[in-house]
Amino acid sequence: MTDVHTKATRSKNMAAIKNRGTKPEKKLLFLLRKRGYSPLLNVKELPGTPDLVLPEYGVVIFVHGCFWHGHEDCKYFRLPATRPEFWLNKIMLSKQRDEECITQLFAENYRVAIFWECSLRSIPPHMVNFMLSGFDAWIHDASSVRIEFSSSTVF
Ligand SMILES: [Zn+2]
C-alpha cells in the first residue's frame, strides 16, 4: 500500500491548514461566542475584510498581529536586524491601509474594535473577563466609534 495522498494534495492540505485563521482570532471568536455573541467571520464584502463582524450591533472587529500592523511600544513589535527599513516600510504601508479601511467603515456607519494580538496571548482568565466587560460596555455605547484592546490597556 502506498500513501493515498500524493505530494501535491498533501502540500495543498498543509496550505489549507496554514490559512485557517491565526490563533488569536480563534481565541477571540471562542470568547465572544461564549459570551453570547454570534460573529460572522472574514466578511469580504466590507473594507479590509474584517476578521469578525457583529451585524446586529453595526460593529466590525479586527484582530491585528502586533508585528505586521506595527503595534507601537509592544514587545511583539521588534524590527528584524537585517533590512529594518524594508520591514518598516512594509509595516507603514499596512498601517496606512488599515486606517483607510477604518475610514471607509466609519463612512458606512460601522464602529470598529481592534484587538491587538498581545491582548489575546497568554492572558490570565480574570483579565479576559475584565477586557470583555469593557467590550460589552463599548458595544452599548453608540457614541464611541472606535476602541482598541492591547496588553497595555488590559494588564
Ligand atoms: Zn501588541
Side-chain angles (χ1 to χ4, degrees):
M1 270 297 261
T2 52
D3 191 339
V4 288
H5 291 300
T6 65
K7 212 172 164 189
T9 56
R10 198 179 305 120
S11 63
K12 218 168 132 189
N13 290 344
M14 295 296 280
I17 290 164
K18 233 177 146 187
N19 288 333
R20 213 178 290 151
T22 60
K23 248 177 140 189
E25 285 163 38
K26 275 192 176 169
K27 183 165 182 180
L28 184 59
L29 175 64
F30 171 77
L31 292 172
L32 291 178
R33 280 187 175 153
K34 221 170 97 181
R35 249 179 141 77
Y37 294 106
S38 314
L40 302 176
L41 308 183
N42 303 315
V43 179
K44 294 187 180 67
E45 293 75 21
L46 288 176
T49 312
D51 298 298
L52 305 171
V53 177
L54 297 168
E56 66 272 47
Y57 297 102
V59 161
V60 308
I61 301 168
F62 291 102
V63 179
H64 274 352
C66 295
F67 178 74
W68 289 109
H69 296 267
H71 193 198
E72 276 146 48
D73 301 322
C74 175
K75 64 175 174 176
Y76 296 118
F77 176 48
R78 250 186 249 123
L79 281 177
T82 51
R83 302 170 73 209
E85 56 294 309
F86 166 80
W87 292 107
L88 197 59
N89 186 48
K90 227 175 152 62
I91 289 162
M92 283 304 140
L93 286 173
S94 86
K95 274 176 93 83
Q96 210 177 328
R97 212 166 29 235
D98 290 342
E99 288 310 312
E100 284 165 10
C101 290
I102 290 171
T103 305
Q104 286 175 44
L105 286 161
F106 287 160
E108 294 182 30
N109 282 319
Y110 280 96
R111 297 159 66 216
V112 177
I114 294 167
F115 284 81
W116 290 95
E117 149 191 29
C118 57
S119 71
L120 293 160
R121 272 209 199 178
S122 46
I123 176 173
H126 68 286
M127 284 304 188
V128 170
N129 286 331
F130 177 72
M131 177 168 74
L132 292 179
S133 303
F135 179 73
D136 288 340
W138 176 78
I139 278 269
H140 296 287
D141 174 15
S143 68
S144 167
V145 292
R146 177 177 185 155
I147 194 166
E148 297 192 20
F149 297 94
S150 69
S151 62
S152 56
T153 56
V154 173
F155 301 134

